[in-house]
Amino acid sequence: MNTRTATSASQRAPSITPADFEKFRDFFYRKTGIYFDDSKRYFVDKRLVERIEATGAEDFRSWFIALRFEAKGEELQQLVNAMTVNETYFFRESYQFDCMVNDMLNEVVKRKKPGGRIKIWSIPSSTGEEPYSIAIYLLERWALINDYEVEILSSDIDTSVLASAHRGVYSARSVGQLPKDYLTKYFRRLNDNEFAISRDLVAAVEFSRVNLSDPADTRRFRDIDLIFCRNLLIYFDDLSRRVAAENMFDAMSPGGFICLGHSESMSRISSLFDVRRFRDAMVYQKPLSGDRA
């Protein structure tokens, strides 16, 4: 490309002003609870330009007007998919899975009838590594798996990663932490760098799109016994974190447990939960009374 062509292309590229960034940031926060501070300007601007160009809009203003007033919300969903970061792998922070099978579930079943239902919710699902890790852990390491009806639910605000989770194809890096016998048992090698997970495991997880900061989205989730919500709340501000915590509290059964990421602390977000320290991990528990103060 010669200098003239490069200059022309640069002139045609939409620009994002500081005022544009603030307008978008406020709008996206109201819709998702996710807040982008000024340090995220480059990340946000790059993806805004990509969406403006993809829609054929002339500039930020025309694109933003169309975004705000679209009826079906399709561009908003495309925007959410572009703005959310999804990077994970199987058996990530596995000490919490150890805690699940060694302690938390054993407390949960004390409040269940024989053959009762246990609900586990993974949010965000990302591309499926976490909920499928939960399923494998239960099958391989929880002695009571055949004595109860276990439901694994998994949700994300990003529809593109939900589609990837349904597809169930993973890179060698993604499955790198799995024991070799698990990889052989639950995956089919497609090529040197891709592995397809068992369709039985795909069928064992119920995926759905959910905005955790929206009570209308989370209202259908009730009697959840165990929630994995790891490395999501770090993208929220204090108010959104508190709203998300309250929504999860309402979705949980009394005595249910929640696991956060290693850098997150529910104690700094909400006083609704009790801290529980087990052998493998520190987690948070909804009081058995189930009543919010």
Side-chain angles (χ1 to χ4, degrees):
M1 179 182 289
N2 60 37
T3 304
R4 176 177 295 178
T5 304
T7 302
S8 176
S10 175
Q11 289 173 344
R12 289 198 303 270
S15 62
I16 309 299
T17 68
D20 294 338
F21 174 77
E22 291 186 10
K23 287 179 182 177
F24 165 75
R25 176 170 62 184
D26 292 345
F27 171 82
F28 198 72
Y29 171 71
R30 291 195 304 272
K31 292 293 185 180
T32 68
I34 298 173
Y35 182 81
F36 294 114
D37 59 30
D38 291 342
S39 68
K40 299 294 193 300
R41 268 297 304 270
Y42 176 79
F43 170 84
V44 172
D45 286 7
K46 183 175 184 295
R47 280 152 183 79
L48 288 178
V49 168
E50 289 171 353
R51 290 312 310 159
I52 293 169
E53 292 179 337
T55 58
E58 293 183 0
D59 51 27
F60 173 85
R61 182 177 182 275
S62 58
W63 171 83
F64 190 59
I65 290 173
L67 173 71
R68 290 172 57 202
F69 293 101
E70 67 171 348
K72 295 184 178 179
E74 294 176 354
E75 176 59 18
L76 176 60
Q77 186 61 62
Q78 291 293 327
L79 184 63
V80 168
N81 294 355
M83 290 293 176
T84 49
V85 179
N86 299 281
E87 184 178 359
T88 186
Y89 51 86
F90 282 86
F91 282 24
R92 183 179 186 179
E93 297 181 11
S94 61
Y95 61 91
Q96 291 182 334
F97 300 142
D98 290 330
C99 187
M100 172 182 69
V101 297
N102 292 333
D103 291 294
M104 288 188 285
L105 284 178
N106 294 331
E107 286 205 9
V108 167
V109 298
K110 291 177 182 178
R111 300 186 293 275
K112 301 288 182 180
K113 296 179 180 179
R117 180 174 300 177
I118 297 171
K119 292 185 179 181
I120 301 174
W121 189 18
S122 166
I123 182 170
S125 73
S126 186
T127 45
E129 286 91 336
E130 180 172 278
Y132 293 141
S133 293
I134 292 170
I136 293 171
Y137 244 82
L138 292 173
L139 290 168
E140 295 291 334
R141 304 190 185 184
W142 192 45
L144 301 179
I145 182 61
N146 293 319
D147 297 335
Y148 293 89
E149 182 182 347
V150 180
E151 289 186 13
I152 302 175
L153 313 172
S154 193
S155 307
D156 205 291
I157 196 172
D158 184 340
T159 55
S160 65
V161 297
L162 290 171
S164 294
H166 274 290
R167 181 168 175 255
V169 175
Y170 297 97
S171 68
R173 177 191 174 278
S174 180
V175 300
Q177 299 298 316
L178 286 170
K180 289 185 178 179
D181 56 331
Y182 291 7
L183 187 61
T184 301
K185 185 174 183 179
Y186 295 106
F187 293 80
R188 176 171 54 90
R189 181 187 285 273
L190 300 179
N191 52 53
D192 288 343
N193 191 50
E194 287 188 316
F195 298 81
I197 198 166
S198 161
R199 299 315 293 177
D200 288 339
L201 284 184
V202 174
V205 179
E206 181 181 331
F207 290 99
S208 61
R209 182 202 173 277
V210 168
N211 179 352
L212 188 55
S213 65
D214 185 351
D217 270 11
T218 59
R219 195 170 292 128
R220 67 181 183 274
F221 293 86
R222 288 294 181 266
D223 302 320
I224 306 296
D225 298 297
L226 178 55
I227 296 178
F228 286 87
C229 182
R230 308 190 297 181
N231 305 311
L232 172 63
L233 301 182
I234 56 175
Y235 298 103
F236 292 3
D237 70 350
D238 290 343
L239 176 59
S240 295
R241 290 189 191 104
R242 188 163 61 250
V243 170
E246 291 175 355
N247 289 341
M248 288 188 288
F249 183 93
D250 289 341
M252 295 170 69
S253 60
F257 296 98
I258 181 169
C259 297
L260 300 182
H262 70 274
S263 65
E264 300 171 300
S265 172
M266 184 63 80
S267 302
R268 294 197 294 266
I269 300 171
S270 170
S271 61
L272 292 172
F273 299 86
D274 296 329
V275 178
R276 292 293 307 274
R277 290 177 173 84
F278 291 109
R279 291 170 293 174
D280 300 300
M282 183 182 76
V283 301
Y284 303 91
Q285 184 176 30
K286 180 174 180 174
L288 282 169
S289 68
D291 294 325
R292 183 188 301 171

